[in-house]
Each structure stands twice: as structure tokens, then as C-alpha cells.
Amino acid sequence: MTVETAKLETRDVIARRITITGVVQGVGFRPFVFNLAEELGLSGWVLNHSGGVDIEVEGPEADVASFIADLSAKAPPLAQIVSLEADVSTPRGHKRFEIRRSESVIGRYQLISPDVATCPDCLQELFDPKDRRYRYPFTNCTNCGPRFTIIEDIPYDRPHTTMRVFPMCGACQAEYDNPRDRRFHAQPNACPRCGPEIWLLEAATLSRSLAPGEAGPADPPVTATAQPPNASPTGEAALARVRDLLREGKILAIKGLGGFHLACDATNANAVRVLRARKKRPHKPLAIMVPGIDEVKALCKVSPMAERTLTSPQCPIVLLEADPDSPIAPNVAPNSRLLGVMLPYTPLHHVLLRDAGRPLVMTSGNSSEEPIAKDNAEALQRLGSLADAFLLHDRDIHARYDDSVVQLIADRDGQDSLPPTSERGSSRIQPVRRARGYAPAPIQLPFAVPQILATGPLLKNTFTLTRDSYAFVSQHIGDLETLETLEHYQAALETYRSLFRVEPEAVASDLHPDYLSTRIADAFAREHGLPEPYRIQHHQAHIAACLAENAWFPDRGPVIGIAFDGTGYGDDGHIWGGEWFVGNYASFKRVAHLEYLPLPGGDAAIRNPWRTAVAYLHALGLDEALPLGEFCPADVMRIRRMVDGGLNSPLNSSMGRLFDAVSALLRVCHTTTYEAQAAIELEQLVAPRASVDPATVAYPFAIDSADSPYQVQVGPLFEALLTDIGQMLPHNEISLRFHATVAAMIDDVSRRIRDVTGINTVALSGGVFQNRLLLALLRPQLRRAGFDLLQHGAVPPNDGGVSLGQAVMAGFAIENRTEG
């Protein structure tokens, strides 16, 4: 064969049919494919369909090979390729490469991008006076902007989004049609001539007036809100008035990406006080939004990892250590060293923050315990008693989404101690609330499961739908205790089922028979002719969720699972929450727990930690050590009688309640107004990065290992702690000793379990493991003991991850029953 012949053969035309799945729609993937093909001189086509992206390409073999390799190697930054299959095809003599119209394929589904924070290119345009989108609040492109919150169906095309009511002007249409433009097929593409607009409604406009002694404006009449009233300021006039109102200390309801925020000047303590009174949120910390990363650094300690997280496309609220001399009003985050900080993630936020010239409180637009408001009329009705004015717009929100909240976990040297961020539990980022920017990105499971609905827990609810090896964990729903939250749950469930084409074959729920989430599961099973739901014990679901997100394959055997939280219904009918298990997805055996102690009044004790403190000391025979000066004698006697008579005093083994009792004894928190307040404020007593050796400062405790499960006895702990209180030891030192004690308990019991079982892997789950101080003490201790650790990094360790565990345990049971 001559050299010339060989060259000719390498130029022979071949063809390949390529199918790609993953997050490949709404992220600029088709223009990327088009431009890549043009660069290599290839012909064919690319199109979106309900299952992903299909490509037909033909050309010289070497160029086609380069094309296929570059599809993964050079994919757009927001794309996530899950699978790429290239099959041999017959050349069809295509003359050029083109982008074809999207196709809907029955039964197919695709992964959908979460909403994405404003990209640098759009931000530059936003503040360029010469640009046609100068200060336009809805600027976006294929690299940023709304995604899941506006999608009504797939494929992801404009007619299937809430932007379908805004026909594009000629300039926007030209961008949309140009494969070389970064706005090619950017479905939310718009400009001031053709896109959504903003307007402002004030109290006077709504004809509202304050009733005598009322904390906020009266409920306004619900008026037409699809378009701005003639008298309402729009555009720049609205923005200027918003700036003035915020500087005057007013409370504004601002429609954003996934719902409304309530905003005020974060440096104005009186404005914050008024917001708290109206929102009925007296103590829980409020999030703030800051114009840029330099401004964040002026307010908080910002590590390199924190900076990357703040400026990431997800743009979550990040919990950061605050500078004590910052100008932020102290009542933004009372009794806390931390601030929840986020950067602007929409063009509207960027303009508002630049105009205001100061940090703003940006908290969920709702009354306490309700879901975030998303529609204009709904906001006027529900937030009418909270806000002085409403900044509205006419781009509808299809899916209601809160802001995500994350924290970074560090060891006691203050350094970020985990490997770089990933979707696995090795992440340094620990989700506290998973919503905007993260959901609906799926958790990839270590095994395939049937289509399952897991309805989640009662508090911090999420649900999970599974299909193939994906678990679609919903955005944060909230506490299932109001009609509004139930309606939000049902709407979100229908959205997920529709978009991901899931028809559940089975249902899983919590073991507690009275949870609303359990009743939802029962009703769904009846309505769809499905078998009785799988009942998954709460804490076992916690551990299963941790295993699933860490891709723990079943054939790797059992783990030691430690689930510490406030409340979960146990197999024996008692309240659990301080549990050690051995097992995996198939089953878990309870091998140790905190000793059972009474909880007088049940939920009343959770809201009033002083009750728990009194009951615990009485049950442990330590009445004489109780510092009576801190408690009403009549109340103390009433609680003791309840315990003695077993009157509404369920037994519990909760680690969360142990934190409550200690917090109350230290006068940190006698009565709570938000979940885990007593434990959070107890943790905040300890200075960041205080040096400590847990082995030398831990209080004593006992372990009854005569029978299984082992019981950790806390009487010695309370005796020693009360001695320290009596000797006037500083409360921050007592708190540190208590945290070191919990770390020592975990270490001691886990070693004993390993001695018996030989298991060396520990999985940590439950809300207690959001305690940064505890983790900073515990993790080095377990590593020194030679344990391998599994932790959360993709779903929260709190109840927001429980539905994932329910789903994988039910799925594993079904798959193994089928195989059997």
C-alpha cells in the first residue's frame, strides 16, 4: 500500500449515531456540538429529545474520533454527561451540520439543570451602559438563569416554559437562532423590549392602613397582578423607589427566582426587629445578601473553599464565622457567631444590592412555618401583613424553591479538612437545606431500583422519586404541619413525576403511623392500586441515605451506622435519637443507644428544654443537684409528678434532647422558638478553633454492655457537669467539655462494636451531625482510631435526607425479593 493510498483511506467518510444522557439540555450543549462539528469540518445533525441528545455525524474517521472524544472533554461547564453511546451508522451524505427541531419521545426522560446564578458575561452586560440589556433584571444566556423553576414539560424548549408568553423581539430572536451566539436556544432569553418587567406596589397603592396596635400593614385586597397597575412605578422608577424604601428601613417583598424574599437593611436593627415581629420569627438567624465577595470578606472569615462556594453557579447561603465588629445588626443572628451569607444570583438582585449600597436581609417570603410565596396574588394575600411594598414581575414561577443553605466543616485547627467538593460524601460542603441550585440534580445510586415514591419525614420534609439508578430528591418542602405546605408538597410531587416520567411501582414512608407523610403514602398507594407502603424506621433511613450518597455497594458489607437527632419513632414504640446500628440496605440491627429517659409532655418538652432538664435529673436521682434558682419550684414539682406517674412522659433515647437538657442547665436556652435552638446556641458558646484534647476533658459516662443493645448511661455525665456549674466554671468551658463527651461516647461505643463485629466503617447521619464543633472534635478522634468515615455531602444529614434512605431501602428490598 502506498503512502498516498493510506492517506486516502484515512480520509474515507464514516458515520456514527451518538446518544447522550445527563444534564445536556438548557446548558448550551447543542450549540457546543454544532460549533465542534464545524471546527472539524463534519456534517450531520443534533437534536434534543425527551431522553437527552441525539447526534448523527459523518466525516473522516480521525475527525469523527476527535469529535466523539471532545464531546466529553470539552463539554460546556454546566453539562453533566452520564452516558455517551456511539454506534456505527451509514453515511447519508449530509452537506452540512445542523441543529434540528426537538422531539418528544413517549416514556423517555432527561436530567434537568437546576437554576444557575448569573454568569460573568451577563453580569458585564448588566452594568454596561452601552449594552441594550443595561440594568435589565431578567438578563440571561445558555450559561445562566432560570431552569427548573420555569420548566413545565420536556424537552426543554421555550413553549414548555413560563417564558412562552413573551414573544421575542427581532434582536432576541436573532440571538436565539444563531448557533454561534451564547444565547442560542437560551429559552428564557429576553430584553427590555420583549421580556418580563418589574413594578412596585406600596401600601398606599393597595389602600391599606394599620389597625391600632398592629405590628404590620393590614392584609391588602387581592387585586389583578399579572400586569402593573397604571399608577405603579415600573423599571428604573421602581428600582429607585425600592432603594429609597430600603434605606428608610422599610420591609419589602421581592419576587425572585423560586419565590419571594422579605428584604430589609441588614445594618438597621430596628428594621430587622420589625421584620422579626411581623414574620413571627423572634430568634432564628436571618440570611443576608451582600453585593460581592470583597464585601463578604469585610464581614466574615472567608476560606478559599468558602469563596469558591459563594461564587459557584449554585450560589447558596453559606454559614460563615462573622467578624464581631461588622456593621451587621446583632439581631440578624442573635446568640450566634455565624452569619448566613449569599451573593446576588439574579440580575435583579445584583441591581438591588448595588443600588442599596449595603447588605440586605433576604429571608424566605413567608410567615413562620409556611412555604415560600411564589405568585403575585398569593404574595399580596399571604405577605400583606409583613411587607410595606411589593416588587413584582410578570415571569411566572412554576416550581417553588427556597434558597439552599450549606456549611463548611473544619477540624479544630480551623482548616477545611475534607477533600475537594464532589457529589459524594467526601465533600467539604455539608448541605443544611438543599433547594435552589442543587435540586433536582439526582443522586446516582450504587444500584438500580424500581420506580419508587418515598414520602419522607414530618419535619424538614423532602420526598424522593427513583428511576433506574437515579434518586430525584425534591427541594426542601418544610414541615408538613400546615395546609399550605401540604399543597406545596403535592404540587412539587406532580412536577417531579411529570418531568422525570415516574410512575411509582411502590411507596415507602416513615414508621410513625400518625405523620402526615405516612398518610400521604397510604393515600397514594390506595389511589394507584399499589401494595401497602414499605415502613422504614427513621434512623435506619438516615444511615441508608448516607450509604447511598457515598455509593456504598451492598457487597461491601455492613457498616456501623450512628444516627443522632431529636426525634424518630422506634421499633419498640419509644422515641429514638441516639442510636448505633450495624447493617446496610437490607436491614439494620440496633446495637447501642442512649439510655431511655422521660420526656414530660412530649412535644411540650421539645419546645421547653427546661422540662427535659428537670425530668432527666429526677429520673437519674439527681434532684438535689438541680440549680433551683433557675426554675420555678411549682413547675419543677409538676414535672416530677408527671414523670413519677408516667403521665404523658414517653421514654426517649434522643441525643438532641440530651443537648437540650444541658443547654437548659447552663441557662443558654429554656424555651425554644425554632428547631434545635437550644443545641445550636449551646454550640455557639465555644470560641472557634479552641484547642482541646477530648480524651482529657470529657465528662464520665457509663456503658451497660451486659445485654444487647448496649446502653450509654448519662448519670455520671450530669453529676460531673452539675459539679462544674456549682463551682462556677465558665459555661463555654462546660459546653466544650460536653461536646468532647459526646465525641468520646461515639468513639468508645464504636470501638466496642468493632471489637465484636470487625466492622471498621462508620456512617454518621442525623441533625446532630450538623454540629460543627462536635464534628471537629469527633472526626480526628475516629481517624486516629483507624475508622473509615462516611458523611453527608450531597443531601443534608438532617431530616432533609431521610426520604433518600427510605427509597433505597425499599428499592433494595424489592430488587432482592424479585431476584429471590
Side-chain angles (χ1 to χ4, degrees):
M1 180 183 296
T2 66
V3 173
E4 288 75 12
T5 304
K7 287 181 178 178
L8 281 173
E9 290 193 358
T10 60
R11 301 297 297 174
D12 285 348
V13 172
I14 67 167
R16 294 291 183 268
R17 182 69 178 265
I18 303 166
T19 298
I20 301 174
T21 66
V23 181
V24 287
Q25 295 188 25
V27 294
F29 199 80
R30 286 178 299 172
F32 156 71
V33 172
F34 175 89
N35 289 308
L36 180 61
E38 281 214 330
E39 286 175 17
L40 295 169
L42 302 174
S43 59
W45 51 262
V46 59
L47 63 78
N48 280 348
H49 59 78
S50 304
V53 169
D54 278 354
I55 303 167
E56 187 167 284
V57 63
E58 57 187 48
E61 183 174 2
D63 293 335
V64 170
S66 295
F67 175 83
I68 294 172
D70 288 347
L71 287 173
S72 296
K74 298 180 179 180
L78 298 179
Q80 297 177 27
I81 294 177
V82 173
S83 68
L84 189 158
E85 297 178 0
D87 297 324
V88 174
S89 185
T90 302
R92 301 178 188 275
H94 296 293
K95 301 302 182 183
R96 64 185 184 278
F97 198 91
E98 63 181 356
I99 297 173
R100 291 188 172 178
R101 185 181 298 274
S102 299
E103 295 180 355
S104 181
V105 181
I106 296 174
R108 298 291 300 277
Y109 73 103
Q110 66 186 62
L111 307 186
I112 300 173
S113 170
D115 296 336
V116 182
T118 307
C119 72
D121 289 333
C122 285
L123 189 59
Q124 183 176 4
E125 292 174 346
L126 184 67
F127 292 114
D128 180 357
K130 298 178 181 179
D131 194 277
R132 70 189 187 93
R133 292 186 174 88
Y134 177 58
R135 290 174 59 86
Y136 180 55
F138 304 96
T139 300
N140 66 86
C141 70
T142 55
N143 297 320
C144 67
R147 296 293 189 274
F148 195 77
T149 53
I150 64 169
I151 295 175
E152 297 176 333
D153 201 358
I154 55 174
Y156 175 52
D157 288 315
R158 195 178 183 102
H160 293 152
T161 75
T162 60
M163 284 295 294
R164 67 184 180 278
V165 298
F166 297 100
M168 284 180 279
C169 65
C172 287
Q173 190 69 53
E175 294 170 330
Y176 185 89
D177 292 336
N178 183 0
R180 295 170 183 83
D181 194 290
R182 81 172 198 279
R183 292 192 168 91
F184 174 75
H185 279 221
Q187 307 307 336
N189 189 31
C191 74
R193 289 183 58 193
C194 63
E197 64 177 329
I198 59 170
W199 66 93
L200 185 71
L201 294 178
E202 294 188 55
T205 306
L206 295 167
S207 303
R208 295 177 302 177
S209 61
L210 284 176
E214 192 172 26
D219 288 343
V222 177
T223 58
T225 57
Q227 298 294 330
N230 292 333
S232 298
T234 63
E236 286 296 331
L239 291 170
R241 183 60 181 147
V242 167
R243 175 199 62 208
D244 294 342
L245 290 170
L246 288 169
R247 290 179 177 180
E248 293 169 9
K250 301 300 184 182
I251 313 301
L252 269 78
I254 298 172
K255 187 177 182 180
L257 199 59
F260 279 77
H261 284 115
L262 290 169
C264 71
D265 180 355
T267 66
N268 184 331
N270 186 61
V272 176
R273 180 190 61 78
V274 171
L275 174 59
R276 286 191 174 280
R278 294 181 185 177
K279 192 174 164 71
K280 300 176 183 177
R281 184 171 168 171
H283 302 111
K284 189 175 183 179
L286 301 168
I288 65 171
M289 185 177 280
V290 179
I293 192 64
D294 290 339
E295 289 84 353
V296 178
K297 291 178 179 177
L299 300 174
C300 302
K301 176 181 173 60
V302 181
S303 69
M305 186 62 195
E307 181 171 351
R308 289 194 294 273
T309 305
L310 284 163
T311 58
S312 69
Q314 292 80 20
C315 204
I317 297 169
V318 182
L319 302 182
L320 299 173
E321 183 184 329
D323 183 336
D325 298 321
S326 85
I328 300 300
N331 56 345
V332 167
N335 302 321
S336 177
R337 301 174 185 272
L338 303 178
L339 272 177
V341 183
M342 61 179 157
L343 295 178
Y345 55 85
T346 72
L348 177 59
H349 293 140
H350 280 286
V351 172
L352 290 175
L353 267 292
R354 182 168 291 198
D355 288 356
R358 64 201 65 194
L360 299 178
V361 168
M362 282 282 189
T363 188
S364 299
N366 55 10
S367 293
S368 184
E369 310 307 326
E370 291 184 355
I372 185 172
K374 75 175 180 71
D375 299 321
N376 292 346
E378 174 193 10
L380 290 172
Q381 184 68 46
R382 289 178 47 204
L383 307 182
S385 61
L386 281 68
D388 298 301
F390 293 77
L391 184 61
L392 307 175
H393 64 72
D394 53 355
R395 184 179 70 195
D396 285 345
I397 298 168
H398 182 65
R400 192 186 311 258
Y401 263 65
D402 273 297
D403 294 314
S404 292
V405 182
V406 304
Q407 63 178 358
L408 276 64
I409 305 301
D411 286 337
R412 294 303 288 162
D413 60 4
Q415 301 300 310
D416 299 331
S417 57
L418 290 170
T421 305
S422 72
E423 283 298 306
R424 298 301 182 188
S426 61
S427 170
R428 275 184 287 201
I429 297 172
Q430 182 189 80
V432 176
R433 183 171 74 193
R434 183 178 183 268
R436 177 193 51 78
Y438 294 95
I443 308 300
Q444 190 155 6
L445 303 177
F447 50 89
V449 296
Q451 295 186 28
I452 295 170
L453 165 63
T455 57
L458 180 68
L459 304 180
K460 290 185 170 64
N461 179 271
T462 64
F463 60 80
T464 292
L465 290 168
T466 60
R467 182 165 181 174
D468 303 325
S469 59
Y470 293 123
F472 298 97
V473 182
S474 76
Q475 74 268 36
H476 168 79
I477 300 295
D479 298 346
L480 286 177
E481 296 181 325
T482 67
L483 176 60
E484 293 84 359
T485 308
L486 174 61
E487 291 172 345
H488 172 29
Y489 182 106
Q490 292 169 331
L493 177 57
E494 287 309 304
T495 295
Y496 271 63
R497 286 183 61 203
S498 172
L499 291 179
F500 298 117
R501 308 298 198 250
V502 176
E503 291 297 334
E505 306 164 28
V507 185
S509 75
D510 195 272
L511 186 64
H512 198 299
D514 295 328
Y515 279 179
L516 181 55
S517 56
T518 304
R519 295 174 183 174
I520 291 171
D522 292 340
F524 189 95
R526 285 194 304 271
E527 291 167 8
H528 293 81
L530 300 177
E532 284 289 313
Y534 287 82
R535 308 298 188 195
I536 310 296
Q537 200 279 323
H538 183 89
H539 301 97
Q540 295 178 15
H542 267 303
I543 302 304
C546 186
L547 297 184
E549 72 158 87
N550 280 278
W552 185 264
F553 289 92
D555 59 8
R556 296 179 67 180
V559 302
I560 299 170
I562 305 174
F564 284 1
D565 65 2
T567 300
Y569 188 69
D571 290 337
D572 57 3
H574 297 317
I575 298 171
W576 291 6
E579 315 302 318
W580 284 260
F581 299 98
V582 165
N584 59 20
Y585 308 107
S587 65
F588 289 96
K589 179 182 179 182
R590 189 189 195 201
V591 293
H593 61 86
L594 290 182
E595 66 176 306
Y596 281 127
L597 290 168
L599 199 61
D603 288 346
I606 296 172
R607 295 189 296 270
N608 297 278
W610 69 267
R611 284 174 165 252
T612 306
V614 170
Y616 277 22
L617 296 190
H618 183 61
L620 294 168
L622 298 173
D623 284 344
E624 294 183 1
L626 179 70
L628 286 175
E630 301 302 322
F631 305 95
C632 170
D635 288 341
V636 169
M637 293 306 298
R638 177 167 53 86
I639 296 302
R640 288 173 177 171
R641 287 195 296 270
M642 289 180 67
V643 171
D644 289 340
L647 177 63
N648 192 20
S649 296
L651 296 178
N652 87 103
S653 61
S654 166
M655 180 59 77
R657 301 290 78 81
L658 184 64
F659 272 81
D660 286 356
V662 172
S663 185
L665 289 172
L666 292 181
R667 295 180 293 177
V668 174
C669 184
H670 280 192
T671 301
T672 66
T673 59
Y674 67 91
E675 186 186 13
Q677 179 181 351
I680 290 169
E681 293 184 357
L682 180 65
E683 175 192 358
Q684 292 300 307
L685 288 181
V686 181
R689 296 177 297 284
S691 178
V692 62
D693 178 0
T696 61
V697 302
Y699 288 120
F701 56 89
I703 299 175
D704 181 357
S705 56
D707 297 308
S708 182
Y710 301 161
Q711 290 196 44
V712 180
Q713 299 175 331
V714 296
L717 183 164
F718 278 107
E719 290 186 60
L721 183 144
L722 290 165
T723 298
D724 279 352
I725 292 175
Q727 294 178 351
M728 308 289 288
L729 193 72
H731 286 182
N732 63 321
E733 293 185 25
I734 297 176
S735 175
L736 180 58
R737 291 196 68 183
F738 171 70
H739 281 83
T741 306
V742 176
M745 284 180 186
I746 294 170
D747 180 53
D748 190 338
V749 175
S750 299
R751 288 173 188 255
R752 292 174 186 241
I753 295 170
R754 179 173 62 183
D755 290 343
V756 174
T757 65
I759 300 170
N760 202 56
T761 298
V762 171
L764 305 176
S765 192
V768 169
F769 290 114
Q770 287 177 183
N771 185 310
R772 294 162 29 135
L773 171 58
L774 174 61
L775 287 175
L777 295 167
L778 173 65
R779 295 188 319 163
Q781 198 167 350
L782 291 179
R783 286 198 292 263
R784 286 194 298 269
F787 285 106
D788 298 321
L789 294 184
L790 300 178
Q791 298 171 253
H792 286 281
V795 298
N798 62 42
D799 283 7
V802 164
S803 66
L804 173 61
Q806 293 173 349
V808 293
M809 289 191 71
F812 188 85
I814 294 169
E815 287 297 292
N816 283 271
R817 181 194 65 198
T818 302
E819 291 174 7

